[in-house]
């Protein structure tokens, strides 16, 4: 995160492939970087090795768990309190959770009901909240993503809000 950030994307924890590579969303089949470009957050394609460059686009990246990596969400020690402090300090306009599980952990901390996909009626650390379908390769091939045919449609909705 940094000053002037428009949106921070927050996952649950680094997957094993991402931790091994030392870059966000580096797992095989993860569509994060594709969605970031196709939705209109960045003008040219980026890859996991470019993760430090997202600040050039006023985008931040973080996770709810900074102490371990694993490729599933079971038993993760979410630190929503630390995330809330970071968001409050850096003041992004939007906080986008890159899965319902991440959004659910933040909602629980904020005393809110488990969220569906899309913009939420509550804020987190002063930022507007949007829950995205996971870009993970394991979360593809479904027929329906909470009323949308593709995950990318949700990402485009958020980009429209962020880019206003």
């Amino acid at each position: 995160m940094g000053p002037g950030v428009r949106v921070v994307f927050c996952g649950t924890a680094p997957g094993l492939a991402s931790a091994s590579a030392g870059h966000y969303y580096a797992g095989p089949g993860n569509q994060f970087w594709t969605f970031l470009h196709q939705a209109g957050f960045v003008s040219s394609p980026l890859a996991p090795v470019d993760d430090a460059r997202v600040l050039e686009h006023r985008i931040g990246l973080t996770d709810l768990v900074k102490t371990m990596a694993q490729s599933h969400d079971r038993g993760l020690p979410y630190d929503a309190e630390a995330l809330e402090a970071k968001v409050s300090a850096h003041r992004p306009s939007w906080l986008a959770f890159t899965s319902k599980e991440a959004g659910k952990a933040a909602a629980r901390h904020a005393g809110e009901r488990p969220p569906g996909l899309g913009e939420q009626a509550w804020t987190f650390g002063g930022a507007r909240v949007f829950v995205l379908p996971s870009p993970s390769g394991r979360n593809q091939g479904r027929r329906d993503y909470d009323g949308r045919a593709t995950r990318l449609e949700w990402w485009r909705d958020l980009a429209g809000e962020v880019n206003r």
Side-chain angles (χ1 to χ4, degrees), residues 5-103:
V5 169
R6 301 175 299 151
V7 59
V8 171
F9 291 94
C10 180
T12 53
L16 297 176
S18 293
S20 177
H23 295 286
Y24 282 93
Y25 302 101
N30 195 302
Q31 297 292 300
F32 177 86
W33 299 101
T34 300
F35 290 165
L36 202 66
H37 176 247
Q38 289 179 349
F41 290 101
V42 296
S43 57
S44 58
L46 298 175
V49 296
D50 300 314
D51 57 5
R53 292 188 47 219
V54 296
L55 283 175
E56 297 169 17
H57 302 277
R58 297 174 47 212
I59 293 170
L61 302 172
T62 194
D63 288 304
L64 278 163
V65 175
K66 294 292 199 177
T67 58
M68 62 187 292
Q70 65 185 38
S71 293
H72 58 78
D73 295 334
R74 292 180 304 281
L76 288 171
Y78 297 129
D79 193 351
E81 189 172 324
L83 174 64
E84 186 175 33
K86 280 187 213 174
V87 171
S88 293
H90 294 283
R91 313 285 307 153
S93 298
W94 287 92
L95 176 60
F97 293 102
T98 59
S99 71
K100 280 187 180 179
E101 180 62 28

Side-chain angles (χ1 to χ4, degrees), residues 142-163:
R142 291 174 38 189
R143 282 196 217 147
D144 178 63
Y145 294 93
D146 285 11
R148 305 291 173 84
T150 69
R151 296 177 289 172
L152 181 57
E153 291 177 53
W154 287 108
W155 288 70
R156 284 184 172 146
D157 284 355
L158 174 60
E161 293 293 327
V162 169
N163 292 331

